[in-house]
Amino acid sequence: MSTYVSPAIRCALTQSVLRSWCKSRRHVVVCGSLTSHHGTRNRSTAAEEAKPFHRYLDASDAATEDILARDMIIHEDFLSAEEEKSLLDEVEPYMKRLRYEHDHWDDAIHGYRETERRKWNERNMTILQRVKDLAFPPGTPQLAYIHILDISKEGYIKPHVDAVRFCGNTIAGLNLLSSAVMKLVHEKDKDRFASILLRQRSLYIMKDSARYDYTHEVLPESQSRFRGQVIPRDRRMSIICRNEPLPEHTSDS
Ligand code: OGA
Ligand code: MN
């Protein structure tokens, strides 16, 4: 297992901490093992095609399919092109000043730059509120800072599980600029996995078992396939809302 610390933040790490944001920003991710990639099965029967989630979910087994149909929800076309542009217009001036990090010592994300933002213009606040209203039940305490992760065309995110100490049961991500394939692999049984097609302007809501029991990764261009079809990868930006860690995960021990 390797360890990754966001460039902005050099927190003290334990060996188990792989991905980390600043403690004060309460944003740390613990990664699972960095395993080899599995191929995705390319199967389709009439019965399976009747399941609408087959458009974006391709699971290795029935149990994984049941779990992820419930806990990994994709809203395709969540953003209009205008809304995508509005978000980018606000974020780009800052993002463009950062350089992509390559070959970082921990090697958990390749070719990325990232930031966090609390204040948004009114239009974008409305868009993000729509994300939150879908992702979180009323009254769910949420992280005030929204995470923005930009990976270059060559960039990718290796398998990890976000740290339970620093974020709660739900991770909601907008997928901007490019389609991408996310892969989920069961932490305890690497033969159970799924590919998730994240189209440009879609929203994913990863929660509960999908968030805790499966590692997630965003595949590099060379592996970017869904049901046998090549999914072209370009520079891709995600805007990610998370909820506060659950009380049972925030003890100091
Ligand atoms: C992360 C992560 C996924 C994404 O930042 O921990 O997994 O959609 N991001 O960018
Ligand atoms: Mn993650």
Side-chain angles (χ1 to χ4, degrees):
M1 195 180 279
S2 63
T3 304
Y4 162 79
V5 185
S6 190
I9 310 123
R10 306 285 172 188
C11 304
L13 289 171
T14 65
Q15 269 204 324
S16 65
V17 175
L18 230 176
R19 175 116 210 277
S20 170
W21 291 288
C22 186
K23 281 193 174 177
S24 65
R25 294 193 290 168
R26 314 182 70 187
H27 217 161
V28 171
V29 178
V30 177
C31 296
S33 52
L34 303 178
T35 53
S36 64
H37 299 282
H38 303 255
T40 306
R41 294 199 295 160
N42 186 17
R43 63 190 164 82
S44 81
T45 65
E48 287 168 340
E49 275 162 11
K51 298 179 180 178
F53 52 78
H54 279 203
R55 285 174 53 83
Y56 61 77
L57 167 62
D58 184 17
S60 66
D61 61 283
T64 292
E65 179 172 293
D66 285 350
I67 289 165
L68 298 184
R70 185 193 64 208
D71 288 353
M72 184 73 190
I73 304 294
I74 310 298
H75 295 267
E76 293 180 316
D77 289 322
F78 181 83
L79 297 172
S80 67
E82 293 73 31
E83 288 172 326
E84 179 186 39
K85 181 173 183 308
S86 171
L87 289 164
L88 290 167
D89 283 348
E90 185 163 10
V91 169
E92 278 287 44
Y94 179 82
M95 236 7 155
K96 284 211 160 125
R97 300 210 310 257
L98 308 177
R99 278 201 300 182
Y100 286 113
E101 302 273 329
H102 290 279
D103 301 322
H104 199 247
W105 59 274
D106 71 340
D107 205 27
I109 305 186
H110 185 86
Y112 74 98
R113 50 193 180 184
E114 65 182 344
T115 186
E116 289 180 304
R117 183 176 285 259
R118 195 159 75 96
K119 295 221 163 75
W120 296 78
N121 69 38
E122 208 175 309
R123 174 154 170 66
N124 291 338
M125 205 61 121
T126 306
I127 297 168
L128 293 168
Q129 192 58 49
R130 206 153 59 81
V131 172
K132 293 169 173 194
D133 289 345
L134 260 182
F136 306 112
T140 305
Q142 293 156 35
L143 299 183
Y145 282 86
I146 290 174
H147 180 205
I148 304 156
L149 180 61
D150 174 347
I151 55 176
S152 68
K153 183 174 166 64
E154 296 75 34
Y156 56 93
I157 305 173
K158 289 187 173 181
H160 67 279
V161 175
D162 287 25
V164 300
R165 281 194 68 211
F166 298 94
C167 84
N169 70 324
T170 303
I171 298 162
L174 290 167
N175 198 63
L176 274 52
L177 289 172
S178 172
S179 295
V181 178
M182 188 179 268
K183 187 166 177 185
L184 275 68
V185 181
H186 197 281
E187 268 224 294
K188 299 209 171 87
D189 180 356
K190 306 297 179 207
D191 292 331
R192 292 177 57 187
F193 56 89
S195 296
I196 311 290
L197 175 58
L198 301 177
R199 293 183 190 278
Q200 186 180 357
R201 293 188 288 277
S202 67
L203 168 71
Y204 68 84
I205 301 173
M206 181 195 308
K207 61 186 169 72
D208 300 332
S209 182
R211 180 256 185 274
Y212 293 116
D213 300 331
Y214 290 78
T215 60
H216 55 274
E217 61 196 288
V218 173
L219 300 179
E221 186 183 25
S222 60
Q223 295 167 33
S224 191
R225 291 178 164 268
F226 182 80
R227 294 189 182 275
Q229 196 191 332
V230 171
I231 306 300
R233 255 294 309 282
D234 210 323
R235 175 189 170 206
R236 179 241 184 204
M237 191 187 290
S238 51
I239 299 183
I240 307 169
C241 303
R242 294 175 168 92
N243 58 335
E244 291 270 2
L246 306 183
E248 61 263 39
H249 292 139
T250 53
S251 71
D252 285 338
S253 58

